[in-house]
Amino acid sequence: MDVRKKLGSNVQRLRREKGLSQEELADLAGLHRTYVSGVERGVRNPTLTVIDRLARALGVEMAVVVGFD
């Protein structure tokens, strides 16, 4: 599986487990909702900084978001 797709799938799964909308996650991470949507669909190539922001907003380690857990 493409690493961007795997990352996106993990972000979406974690977001749903937390009961957050894309907009709520985006607000918590300081990102735009359409950017979060692009990450979840695997069409964005987020930097480590963005992955860290998403992980913090989701309350997990970066390794969990990228699938190294």
Side-chain angles (χ1 to χ4, degrees):
M1 177 184 280
D2 179 286
V3 69
R4 289 176 299 172
K5 297 272 187 202
K6 182 176 181 179
L7 175 77
S9 177
N10 288 340
V11 169
Q12 186 177 70
R13 176 182 53 79
L14 291 163
R15 175 180 61 77
R16 288 180 174 170
E17 286 175 3
K18 301 284 183 183
L20 298 171
S21 67
Q22 286 181 344
E23 187 169 1
E24 290 168 326
L25 176 57
D27 287 344
L28 290 170
L31 301 169
H32 195 276
R33 186 203 55 81
T34 58
Y35 190 87
V36 171
S37 173
V39 170
E40 288 188 359
R41 289 180 288 120
V43 298
R44 290 284 188 169
N45 195 20
T47 63
L48 288 173
T49 302
V50 168
I51 295 169
D52 181 58
R53 289 165 72 173
L54 288 168
R56 289 174 187 268
L58 290 164
V60 298
E61 298 290 325
M62 281 179 60
V64 175
V65 173
V66 295
F68 293 145
D69 57 333

